[in-house]
Amino acid sequence: MALRKLAAKFKGKFNQDIKPYITTLGFNEPHIISDPNFKIISHLNFEDFSIANLDLDDNIEYIKFVNCEFHNIINENFIINMEFDECSFNDIDLYNLSIGIVFLNCIIGKFFITNSEVSNLISVRNTKTEENNIGTVEIFDTTFKDNFHFSNINISFLMISDTNFNKLFDFNSVVVMDECNFEKIKFKELALFDKCIFETKIIFKYVIFESFSYFRNSTFKNGIDLEYSSSKEEMNFYNIQGLSSKESKINTSQETYRIIKHQFEKLGNKIEANKYHALELEQRRRILYKEKFDSLQKFSEWLVFMSHKVFSNHSSSWHISIFWIFVVGFFTSFSIDNLVYHRYDCTVSWIDYFKYISIINLDNCIKEHPLIFLLNKISLGYLYYQFLLSVRKDTRK
């Protein structure tokens, strides 16, 4: 592309329109390469920066800043696409922005965009091995008509509200540490959250995913809220981590777990769907625990959920069911030995222990005591049912 020719090809005099501005501010002459459509400015320190003050030629369409320092970028209806390479900023405050901007390996304190309609690419990328941090990212009342891209960046505070992304939204290897909110957002094309780490709870409130969305390989250490979001296409949560942790369970609602479970079911991934089904049921149990004394119905529902948790972890662990089957056999044998044997002259030995873990066992000793018989068969019936569900959960079609 003509506007992005290698800097080595542009060897000429300093731009005479920029030189008086530099002299006025008392800076040394920078390395500026002249081209009819392309400018590079390097190693400058700007206080309050406005592109209008540069008084550039009308034919300049692209300008690149390299190793410059900016105290504050003041927006003046930018009409020139810009790139900042290894620059540092205290504040970036952009209003009525229309053009595209690329930040490559930059240090940014605050990144703020509002009331804008951006036609070209917005990109903030770090290509180095060391961490690159942004203090605050805030975007309000803005429409992005081209791709929006953040890559390999750590963000302390992230807030995006009343904003439309008409093209690709791409968060790749982004870490959000303190706060993360998406509110009243419309993702019209692919929304990609790939290999991201959310140290804080991520909230999607009144968010519409009109196309596919991907959260592949991302980690949610303090939960996610999808309760007030909707998706017209599949949401891919393959290999996400963290939503089983104690912190995530506190901050993730039953409805959010249900949404994730449903998305895995749509993709035919029964193993992961069952995992989030168990988490959904656990959140339901937490709700019932708080409401268990509100009514007899609530109390009975809570008892059922407690039973599912204790005896099979909501039909997800066959090991637990097997354990309780042997416990029932032991107590049945113990009860017969103490309540039935002496009265009815039943023969009891250690091998009888295994008889009483069988639901089809109907020997005379157990039939002599109806209560033991009833408790044994009901308990074993329930536990064998939970065992079968647990074994079958990952294999059913």
Side-chain angles (χ1 to χ4, degrees), residues 65-165:
F65 296 85
V66 180
N67 288 308
C68 294
E69 295 183 11
F70 298 84
H71 177 266
N72 185 26
I73 290 187
I74 301 173
N75 180 59
E76 296 285 351
N77 295 317
F78 291 167
I79 58 173
I80 300 174
N81 292 295
M82 291 181 290
E83 180 178 343
F84 298 90
D85 191 346
E86 298 193 3
C87 297
S88 61
F89 306 84
N90 286 339
D91 295 298
I92 300 173
D93 297 297
L94 304 175
Y95 305 84
N96 300 316
L97 180 68
S98 60
I99 48 81
I101 305 179
V102 174
F103 299 91
L104 180 63
N105 301 322
C106 293
I107 299 172
I108 302 172
K110 177 184 176 183
F111 184 84
F112 182 88
I113 301 177
T114 188
N115 193 28
S116 299
E117 190 171 284
V118 186
S119 300
N120 297 326
L121 170 70
I122 296 291
S123 177
V124 182
R125 294 181 290 126
N126 175 36
T127 60
K128 296 184 176 181
T129 55
E130 61 265 25
E131 292 183 355
N132 196 333
N133 299 323
I134 299 179
T136 300
V137 175
E138 297 180 72
I139 301 173
F140 303 100
D141 301 305
T142 296
T143 297
F144 294 95
K145 295 184 175 181
D146 205 331
N147 296 341
F148 182 91
H149 179 61
F150 270 59
S151 178
N152 199 25
I153 300 292
N154 292 2
I155 303 171
S156 293
F157 177 93
L158 174 64
M159 177 68 187
I160 303 178
S161 179
D162 296 289
T163 294
N164 292 335
F165 296 94

Side-chain angles (χ1 to χ4, degrees), residues 364-376:
N364 290 328
C365 286
I366 193 170
K367 288 194 295 184
E368 292 294 348
H369 201 294
L371 181 59
I372 295 176
F373 177 85
L374 182 64
L375 292 175
N376 175 268

Side-chain angles (χ1 to χ4, degrees), residues 332-385:
T332 301
S333 177
F334 178 82
S335 300
I336 289 175
D337 190 26
N338 287 274
L339 299 176
V340 179
Y341 173 70
H342 296 293
R343 286 191 295 170
Y344 297 97
D345 197 25
C346 291
T347 302
V348 178
S349 65
W350 66 270
I351 199 67
D352 294 322
Y353 171 81
F354 294 98
K355 289 196 304 183
Y356 299 128
I357 66 173
S358 170
I359 195 171
I360 62 173
N361 174 57
L362 298 174
D363 66 6
N364 290 328
C365 286
I366 193 170
K367 288 194 295 184
E368 292 294 348
H369 201 294
L371 181 59
I372 295 176
F373 177 85
L374 182 64
L375 292 175
N376 175 268
K377 299 312 174 188
I378 290 177
S379 299
L380 289 177
Y382 171 77
L383 291 170
Y384 274 112
Y385 175 72

Side-chain angles (χ1 to χ4, degrees), residues 200-238:
T200 185
K201 179 180 180 180
I202 176 172
I203 299 173
F204 293 91
K205 191 170 185 179
Y206 309 122
V207 172
I208 299 174
F209 297 93
E210 293 192 353
S211 186
F212 297 97
S213 53
Y214 291 81
F215 295 84
R216 294 170 60 96
N217 303 303
S218 290
T219 301
F220 305 90
K221 294 188 177 182
N222 271 280
I224 180 174
D225 186 349
L226 294 169
E227 195 163 340
Y228 294 95
S229 68
S230 63
S231 177
K232 296 182 179 179
E233 302 290 348
E234 284 82 7
M235 302 174 75
N236 192 321
F237 293 96
Y238 176 75

Side-chain angles (χ1 to χ4, degrees), residues 3 60 75 97-98 103 154 182 264 282 289 325 329:
L3 301 182
I60 298 297
N75 180 59
L97 180 68
S98 60
F103 299 91
N154 292 2
F182 293 83
F264 278 118
E282 186 169 345
Y289 178 79
I325 288 171

